[in-house]
């Protein structure tokens, strides 16, 4: 099979009894891509990674790396390396010996090992630490040693299984930027597993959102955020308010929805399958909401809500409110434009209908 992709999968299925942990997955990952698989615990993403690494075999489907079928190739013969959450560095070896371990197993001469180890340490920003013990390093430095140990082997694919999960928040934020930088610097194709949407959105060129063994949507981060294809993606990627109602009318790719409160609002259709009278849900992101006033654009939708709390959130105020028994919150800048708010005060929130997404309650 000829392919331009570093990784190609066709109809992958992995069953455990009657349960399909991976259910008909197909994908193509171009060379040099940072590709993330995002989903909640139990969605099948780690099983998929094990199939790619060769630790498990699919019941159906094929895996190709640079056009070569990998289904029956053992892990140690695949052009793949893997970084685990707990890094698995050897505590009795120096940093240099950890990085050179794979080269030694491949019978690379000692002088060449030392040269390549020094080069990769320079590339990951840890020059001159060959003789240190990894346990003497910080968490971020150990993370880079684990990456260097894989990258020194020049794999076609680097598989990363939630590698930032054990780090504290500040270090995790720092490592997101460093990982993206290193991936671009080395040009290696990364396949990254995470349940953390911020990791996937910040680092990735493409993100596959996984649910129940399938991809709900595969797209660049910006598309996932602005144009979620399913209610699950809309609810899982970023924050969203969800408002229930009935479809009144459809026109110009917009749906008029009568909310359970009786108010009629509008949002952009996620599909063409909705019909008047159908039950629907409108998703609108907190930062897309503004306060309605006399200057509000006439094309905007407006909804009345009761304020429950106003919370300081750095550069923004988080306004928590309620409409027709449903929680609603807005993220508004602290620039003095917001009216003074007290608990139980009534406000009107407005939004551009093009920034809202409307789904049928069955996912249509």
């Amino acid at each position: 099979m000829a392919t331009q992709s570093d990784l190609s999968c066709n109809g992958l299925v992995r069953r455990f009894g009657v349960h399909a942990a991976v259910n008909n997955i197909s994908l193509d990952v171009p060379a040099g891509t940072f590709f993330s698989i995002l989903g909640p615990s139990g969605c099948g993403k780690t099983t998929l990674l094990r199939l790619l690494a060769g630790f498990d075999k699919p019941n159906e489907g094929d895996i190709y790396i640079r056009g070569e079928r990998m289904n029956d190739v053992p892990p140690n013969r695949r052009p793949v390396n893997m970084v685990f959450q707990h890094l698995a560095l050897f505590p009795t070896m120096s940093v240099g010996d950890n990085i050179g371990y794979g080269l030694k197993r491949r019978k690379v001469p000692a002088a060449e090992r030392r040269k390549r180890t020094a080069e990769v340490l320079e590339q990951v920003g840890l020059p001159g630490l060959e003789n240190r013990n990894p346990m003497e390093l910080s968490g971020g430095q150990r993370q880079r040693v684990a990456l260097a140990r894989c990258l020194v082997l020049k794999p076609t694919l680097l598989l990363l299984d939630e590698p930032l999960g054990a780090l504290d928040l500040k270090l995790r934020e720092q490592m997101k930027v460093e990982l993206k930088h290193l991936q671009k610097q080395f040009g290696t194709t990364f396949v990254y597993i995470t349940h953390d949407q911020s990791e996937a959105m910040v680092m990735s060129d493409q993100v596959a959102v996984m649910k129940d063994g399938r991809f709900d949507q595969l797209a660049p981060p910006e598309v996932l955020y602005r144009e979620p294809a399913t209610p699950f993606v809309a609810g899982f990627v970023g924050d969203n308010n969800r408002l229930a109602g009935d479809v009144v009318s459809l026109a110009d790719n917009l749906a008029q929805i009568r909310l359970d409160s009786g108010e009629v609002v509008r949002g952009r259709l996620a599909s063409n399958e909705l019909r008047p009278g159908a039950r629907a849900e409108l998703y609108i992101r907190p930062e897309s909401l503004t306060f309605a006033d006399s200057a509000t654009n006439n094309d905007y939708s407006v909804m009345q809500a009761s304020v429950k709390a106003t919370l300081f959130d750095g550069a923004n105020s988080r306004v928590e409110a309620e409409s027709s028994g449903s929680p609603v919150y807005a993220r508004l800048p602290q620039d003095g434009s917001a009216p003074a708010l007290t608990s139980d005060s009534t406000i009107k929130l407005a939004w551009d209908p093009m920034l809202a997404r409307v789904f049928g309650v069955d996912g249509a």
Side-chain angles (χ1 to χ4, degrees):
M1 175 181 176
T3 178
Q4 297 296 315
S5 303
D6 267 358
L7 171 65
S8 180
C9 299
N10 300 314
L12 280 187
V13 176
R14 179 63 175 106
R15 299 187 190 90
F16 297 95
V18 297
H19 173 65
V22 172
N23 192 357
N24 196 29
I25 292 290
S26 296
L27 60 92
D28 285 286
V29 181
T33 299
F34 198 123
F35 183 85
S36 289
I37 301 169
L38 172 67
S41 297
C43 72
K45 56 187 186 293
T46 297
T47 300
L48 176 56
L49 201 71
R50 287 176 55 81
L51 295 176
L52 301 181
F55 300 144
D56 198 1
K57 289 186 177 183
N59 298 109
E60 299 175 24
D62 297 300
I63 300 168
Y64 294 87
I65 297 177
R66 289 192 177 170
E68 183 179 350
R69 189 173 182 270
M70 291 284 129
N71 290 41
D72 299 316
V73 178
N76 63 329
R77 295 185 57 195
R78 297 190 183 196
V80 169
N81 280 100
M82 192 161 181
V83 179
F84 299 93
Q85 180 174 345
H86 298 293
L87 305 184
L89 296 175
F90 301 116
T92 58
M93 291 185 182
S94 68
V95 166
D97 287 341
N98 265 279
I99 293 173
Y101 180 76
L103 296 174
K104 185 176 181 179
R105 293 198 59 172
R106 293 183 180 182
K107 302 188 185 307
V108 174
E112 178 66 13
R113 291 202 307 268
R114 288 193 294 270
K115 176 176 176 291
R116 287 173 61 175
T117 295
E119 287 174 349
V120 78
L121 277 171
E122 183 77 33
Q123 288 175 295
V124 300
L126 298 174
L129 296 187
E130 293 94 330
N131 297 320
R132 295 280 294 274
N133 185 286
M135 298 304 105
E136 297 172 358
L137 305 181
S138 68
Q141 289 174 322
R142 288 197 296 273
Q143 191 82 51
R144 281 181 275 171
V145 171
L147 286 165
R149 183 175 61 181
C150 293
L151 292 168
V152 75
L153 297 172
K154 300 179 181 179
T156 299
L157 299 179
L158 184 60
L159 309 178
L160 302 101
D161 188 7
E162 307 214 38
L164 307 185
L167 302 180
D168 63 54
L169 178 60
K170 186 173 182 180
L171 185 53
R172 197 158 63 240
E173 293 296 314
Q174 176 186 334
M175 284 304 302
K176 283 192 290 191
V177 177
E178 290 194 18
L179 268 177
K180 180 64 173 178
H181 172 72
L182 287 170
Q183 188 268 330
K184 290 300 182 187
Q185 180 183 346
F186 281 86
T188 305
T189 299
F190 280 21
V191 178
Y192 190 95
I193 296 292
T194 184
H195 66 274
D196 187 324
Q197 56 173 294
S198 67
E199 290 180 10
M201 300 297 277
V202 167
M203 295 187 289
S204 308
D205 301 308
Q206 294 280 326
V207 180
V209 180
M210 196 167 183
K211 176 191 177 189
D212 297 333
R214 296 178 178 270
F215 288 167
D216 249 35
Q217 188 173 1
L218 195 167
E222 300 85 1
V223 174
L224 288 178
Y225 193 82
R226 296 171 183 164
E227 299 180 21
T230 68
F232 176 76
V233 175
F236 192 76
V237 177
D239 297 320
N240 251 315
N241 294 299
R242 187 175 68 180
L243 306 171
D246 299 307
V247 178
V248 176
S249 64
L250 305 166
D252 299 326
N253 203 36
L254 293 174
Q256 268 198 334
I257 307 294
R258 179 174 286 107
L259 301 179
D260 292 341
S261 63
E263 295 171 297
V264 176
V265 298
R266 292 188 302 157
R268 189 158 52 106
L269 283 168
S271 79
N272 296 319
E273 298 178 10
L274 277 178
R275 295 291 180 267
R279 192 70 176 161
E281 290 179 330
L282 181 145
Y283 288 74
I284 180 72
R285 297 201 180 276
E287 65 270 21
S288 297
L289 294 170
T290 63
F291 286 109
D293 56 26
S294 57
T296 297
N297 189 312
N298 289 333
D299 291 332
Y300 275 35
S301 285
V302 178
M303 173 183 68
Q304 188 166 284
S306 176
V307 174
K308 297 304 175 186
T310 303
L311 307 174
F312 176 76
D313 187 19
N316 301 308
S317 288
R318 177 183 168 111
V319 178
E320 300 201 351
E322 185 178 281
S323 177
S324 302
S326 298
V328 177
Y329 79 92
R331 192 178 294 123
L332 303 163
Q334 297 199 40
D335 57 5
S337 61
L341 299 176
T342 59
S343 182
D344 292 327
S345 61
T346 299
I347 57 172
K348 289 185 176 181
L349 295 171
W351 65 87
D352 180 345
M354 294 301 293
L355 299 179
R357 293 286 272 178
V358 175
F359 297 93
V361 293
D362 59 354

